[in-house]
Amino acid sequence: MLSFLRLYLRVLSYLGSQKRVAVALVAANLSLAIAQFAEPILFGRIIDRLTAAQGAGRATSWSEILPLLAAWGGFGLFTIGASVLVALHADRLAHRRRLAVMSDYFEHVLHLPMGFHTGMHSGRLLKVMLDGTNAMWGLWLSFFREHCASFVALFVLLPLSLFLNWRLGSLLIGLLVVFGLVTSYVLKKTEKLQGEVEQYHTDLAERASDALGNVPVIQSFTRIEAESQGLRDIITRLLGAQIPVLSWWALTAVATRASATLTVLAIFVLGTWLFMQGLATIGEIVTFMSFATMLIGRLEQVVGFVNYIFMQAPKLTEFFEIRDTLPSVRDRPGAVDPGRLAGRVAFENVTFAYDPRRPAVSEASFVAHPGETIALVGATGSGKSTTLGLLHRVYDPEQGRITIDGIDVRDMPLAALRRNIGVVFQEPMLFARSLKENLLVGKPDANDEEIALALERAQAAEFVSRQPDGVETVIGERGRSLSGGERQRVSIARALLKDPPIMILDEATSALDATTERLLQAALDSAMKGRTTFVIAHRLATVRNADRILVFDQGRVVESGSFDELVARNGRFAQLARAQFMAGPAPTTATAAAG
């Protein structure tokens, strides 16, 4: 029970900028609870005045009961007005905070490193965001509309009923104790089961997201029935775990109503006996009967609350786990924006490992001077992409350091560092937005002339002009309405539009045909002048004109030099060249030396 209370208090702590409104709503709920508690007491006092006059054999005057009636009516009107205002402002507060927390979560997730996203399904991240914020919205709304007043009535004001009649008050409090014990028992019985239910919900979201993201594969390999059956299997297991939980909570609701009804009967019987003994008045019996009726409603609200937070607890726990994840790569205190950099890049004994048993990059040391083009080659998994990922701080090195213009990259704000580096990824990674919006990712304030120039340089102007709405054409999810080569050219244009002093090309031309690649290579050579450029390439012919080639093997730089120097050395690079050119078409004169 304590873990649920802590979770609930954390949800309330996320009220953020709305805390003043929240305090005002709590005060209003306290006033409401007092007003609702006062009404049965006033009603009981009126009954006592009437029965006292009747017992004395005289008529009751209005002057005797009018103050009590006026107070009763005043409390009733106050309850109606305050309830309307509380409901109105609770709705507004809950909706505002839900959207604000959703925005904060989204921004936080975008700051988390690639290592986190590699191990976390995007469908799950989206589900956690929606489920978590919706759960918070429901708890905020119900807290300020119902639960706050219920808690005040049950745990603060109800014990005060002991001062009215301790015998009848004890009976009501006994009901609370029974309810608490029953609820704790049900929580223990169902906590693990509900965790399994939420895991099935996550599996469901991931499975559906995977399928919807790979419709061409599913249709091509006739996997529609298999994927549908896989989803149905998860749903079957989900229901198998959920139904026992629902049964327990249905039993709790029935037990609560039954115990409350029995309490009303018990109060009437006990009150009648106490009246016969001269230990209670008729007014007190009426008051406590009203308390019992109110208690039934409050208990049902609390049961609903406990049930709701129990069902939402796994979602909220997962939300907070992601929200509490700290980026392993973040700004250092006192990081200084260096402005536009010249582009001198130095790796100094840099080591990094995903797996402690096998470094991905080991003691890498090299320098790239401003304007140089450095090519990184080697077998798949040799550490090329990881090395350049360290440059723009996808990860941070475990040993050594990387500097640009003599400044450790960790001493720059991440935004400032990445503003100076343009990356063309092997997979284009386009948004399901217009071509123009995709290009403006590189430079949000670019004008039409700059966009046209970037498209021209990337050999993309022609195919963009053929689109139905030109640069305003909306492309599909991940740019699926474009061919692989077209997506890559848009990605290159996006990086060129950014105009950074340092450029990283990770297999930037891998999806292009030979003719377009030759045209684009000439355009890139022109665009890279005066820019420090790193090129990762498997096709060695594409790095023929690099100023220097770094050959990677198992995370280490094993060779360094120009194309001709490395071929003449007859080492690892020459082996790669021979294997590649022998497997492909006959080498041209320019590459024959590789043999």
Side-chain angles (χ1 to χ4, degrees), residues 406-469:
I407 306 170
D408 192 318
V409 294
R410 290 168 292 191
D411 291 330
M412 305 177 195
L414 274 168
L417 170 67
R418 291 170 180 171
R419 190 174 59 242
N420 280 278
I421 300 174
V423 183
V424 179
F425 299 96
Q426 185 172 3
E427 185 181 342
M429 300 183 187
L430 301 180
F431 298 99
R433 304 169 191 172
S434 70
L435 284 165
K436 185 175 183 178
E437 286 178 287
N438 274 282
L439 293 169
L440 290 178
V441 168
K443 187 179 181 183
D445 59 348
N447 57 41
D448 291 343
E449 289 74 19
E450 290 172 316
I451 291 173
L453 180 59
L455 289 171
E456 191 70 37
R457 285 182 170 180
Q459 301 295 310
E462 183 183 353
F463 86 79
V464 169
S465 67
R466 295 197 305 266
Q467 298 299 312
D469 298 311

Side-chain angles (χ1 to χ4, degrees), residues 475-507:
I475 56 180
E477 185 180 0
R478 300 178 186 173
R480 282 182 185 161
S481 63
L482 306 177
S483 70
E486 289 171 343
R487 289 197 296 270
Q488 193 64 287
R489 279 178 276 173
V490 172
S491 176
I492 292 168
R494 179 174 63 190
L496 292 176
L497 187 62
K498 186 177 181 180
D499 188 30
I502 301 169
M503 187 75 86
I504 296 174
L505 306 177
D506 188 350
E507 287 288 338

